């Protein structure tokens, strides 16, 4: 009996020691670093769009070392923002600077310079035309006023949010899990701020068009659902049922919280949990192509990093 008790204690001690990570070990696996590096593409996009939109300049002036010599973004402009939106966007832009710094510090040499970004009026106009399945007249200009700018912003942090939630289940290292949780916390906050600001104006017309703020968000979300679905089918090589990973500010009751609301301040699933996207789905969205192998949209030369370049090799052509 005494021998059995001793063996049980030794076994318990072994299990306890085995479950405690060695100091510094498994903070970030190589796979973790690749997944976080993929997100760096989106952090660059958010930083440049928000900084230029509010301040009229981006990383090259604010934090040139973080841009690491990557090409300057195409078509970036300072937007005509009211004082509140200006304040919000400045804060979000500076938050993205911190995100890029934290990611680069954590993943080291796996990080890459800023990719070529296209945040021009022309690119935004194409996205809005695609969302409404017609050519808007005049062309949509995200820099024209606060409503247009916040509608454009609606299209950015949420994509990163779903990318982080999708990556979270694949992470192994404790450092990687901690970093992504902390990044996700702020990205979620940004998305909530943008959606809340727009929700308060959901019935306003987007001038000079004949549609409301809420209707724009619905069409953008429908487009993103189509694009990420098409990308998933390309990767898997077969037809798949359409999944809803994106919802506008108003939804049918069956998609609202507990099937009881048409207001949709946050986009979430039937249990009010955040939606998730794979890197392939993210690429299909940010390329505006519905295909992770076909670059375009905000990334005319493609995204950077091991995961993105598995589908499209980054080549600077501009």
């Amino acid at each position: 009996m005494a021998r059995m008790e001793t063996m049980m204690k030794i076994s318990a001690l072994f299990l306890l020691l085995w479950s405690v990570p060695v100091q510094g070990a498994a903070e970030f696996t190589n796979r973790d670093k690749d997944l976080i590096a993929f997100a760096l593409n989106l952090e660059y996009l958010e930083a440049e769009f928000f900084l230029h939109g509010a301040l009229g300049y981006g990383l090259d002036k604010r934090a040139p070392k973080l841009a690491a010599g990557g090409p300057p973004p195409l078509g970036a402009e300072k937007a005509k923002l009211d004082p509140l939106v200006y304040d919000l966007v400045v804060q979000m832009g500076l938050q993205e600077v911190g995100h890029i710094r934290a990611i680069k510090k954590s993943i080291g040499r796996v990080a890459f310079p800023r990719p070529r970004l296209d945040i021009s009026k022309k690119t935004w106009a194409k996205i809005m035309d695609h969302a409404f399945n017609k050519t808007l007249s005049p062309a949509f200009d995200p820099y024209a006023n606060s409503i247009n700018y916040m509608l454009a912003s609606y299209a950015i942090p949420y994509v990163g949010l779903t990318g982080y939630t999708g990556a979270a289940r694949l992470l192994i290292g404790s450092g990687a899990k901690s970093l992504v949780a902390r990044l996700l916390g702020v990205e979620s906050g940004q998305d909530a701020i943008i959606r809340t600001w727009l929700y308060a104006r959901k019935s306003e017309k987007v001038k000079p068009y004949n549609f409301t703020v809420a209707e724009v968000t619905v069409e953008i979300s429908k487009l993103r659902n189509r694009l990420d679905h098409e990308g998933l089918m390309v990767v898997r090589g077969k037809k798949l049922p359409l999944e809803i990973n994106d919802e506008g500010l108003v939804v049918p009751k069956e998609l609202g919280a507990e099937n009881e609301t048409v207001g949709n301040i946050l986009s979430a699933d039937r249990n009010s949990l955040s939606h998730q996207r794979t890197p392939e789905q993210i690429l299909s969205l940010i390329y505006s192509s519905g295909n992770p192998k076909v670059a375009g949209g905000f990334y005319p030369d493609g995204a950077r990093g091991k995961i993105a370049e598995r589908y499209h090799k980054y080549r600077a052509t501009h």
Side-chain angles (χ1 to χ4, degrees):
M1 178 66 73
R3 183 179 179 185
M4 180 66 72
E5 290 179 354
T6 300
M7 290 179 65
M8 291 176 65
K9 289 178 180 179
I10 292 173
S11 298
L13 179 60
F14 173 78
L15 289 171
L16 178 61
L17 291 172
W18 181 78
S19 65
V20 177
V22 177
Q23 182 68 28
E27 284 289 303
F28 293 84
T29 67
N30 289 336
R31 174 64 171 168
D32 291 341
K33 291 182 179 181
D34 289 338
L35 287 165
I36 294 170
F38 178 81
L40 186 57
N41 286 291
L42 295 169
E43 299 289 357
Y44 277 126
L45 173 63
E46 293 174 50
E48 295 294 0
F49 185 64
F50 290 143
L51 289 175
H52 278 281
L55 302 174
Y57 58 82
L59 289 174
D60 287 330
K61 181 175 180 180
R62 178 69 200 186
K65 288 184 179 180
L66 294 181
L74 302 170
E77 294 186 28
K78 184 174 182 179
K80 298 174 183 177
L81 306 177
D82 64 55
L84 173 60
V85 174
Y86 170 84
D87 188 18
L88 295 175
V89 176
V90 167
Q91 292 182 52
M92 291 190 289
L94 295 176
Q95 288 162 4
E96 298 306 329
V97 174
H99 287 185
I100 294 170
R101 184 187 305 112
I103 288 174
K104 288 196 158 191
K105 182 179 179 181
S106 297
I107 65 176
R109 288 179 292 178
V110 178
F112 43 78
R114 175 183 56 202
R116 174 78 69 183
L117 300 170
D118 186 343
I119 49 178
S120 64
K121 289 186 283 191
K122 184 178 180 180
T123 291
W124 282 107
K126 286 181 179 178
I127 291 171
M128 287 299 181
D129 289 351
H130 198 178
F132 281 90
N133 199 30
K134 65 179 181 180
T135 301
L136 299 181
S137 182
F140 180 82
D141 178 359
Y143 302 107
N145 54 59
S146 292
I147 285 183
N148 284 20
Y149 191 84
M150 291 296 267
L151 284 170
S153 299
Y154 171 88
I156 297 181
Y158 182 72
V159 175
L161 184 163
T162 56
Y164 280 131
T165 55
R169 57 185 173 176
L170 304 175
L171 298 171
I172 296 173
S174 57
K177 291 177 181 178
S178 175
L179 176 62
V180 166
R182 296 166 78 184
L183 290 166
L184 180 57
V186 175
E187 294 291 329
S188 300
Q190 291 177 351
D191 180 62
I193 288 168
I194 293 165
R195 291 181 72 103
T196 300
W197 190 93
L198 291 170
Y199 192 80
R201 297 157 179 81
K202 67 181 186 296
S203 299
E204 290 185 23
K205 291 286 186 180
V206 181
K207 298 177 181 179
Y209 311 108
N210 190 33
F211 44 69
T212 65
V213 167
E215 288 170 338
V216 177
T217 67
V218 169
E219 295 306 318
I220 291 173
S221 288
K222 285 181 179 178
L223 172 63
R224 292 192 296 206
N225 281 323
R226 292 198 303 272
L227 291 175
D228 77 15
H229 177 65
E230 290 169 6
L232 203 57
M233 290 195 293
V234 167
V235 172
R236 297 188 182 178
K238 61 180 180 180
K239 289 188 176 182
L240 298 167
L242 178 67
E243 291 184 6
I244 295 177
N245 293 318
D246 217 299
E247 299 166 330
L249 295 177
V250 294
V251 292
K253 266 194 175 182
E254 57 266 27
L255 294 179
E258 295 302 296
N259 308 127
E260 293 181 17
T261 67
V262 294
N264 196 46
I265 196 68
L266 296 177
S267 181
D269 69 9
R270 56 188 283 179
N271 292 313
S272 291
L273 301 177
S274 293
H275 294 292
Q276 302 175 100
R277 285 189 170 105
T278 66
E280 295 80 9
Q281 289 174 300
I282 298 291
L283 291 171
S284 301
L285 290 179
I286 61 178
Y287 291 168
S288 298
S289 65
N291 188 334
K293 301 176 183 179
V294 180
F298 299 123
Y299 298 81
D301 298 334
R304 304 186 82 156
K306 185 176 180 180
I307 292 176
E309 294 187 61
R310 184 183 303 156
Y311 297 99
H312 182 281
K313 187 69 176 175
Y314 180 83
R315 293 185 181 88
T317 58
H318 295 78

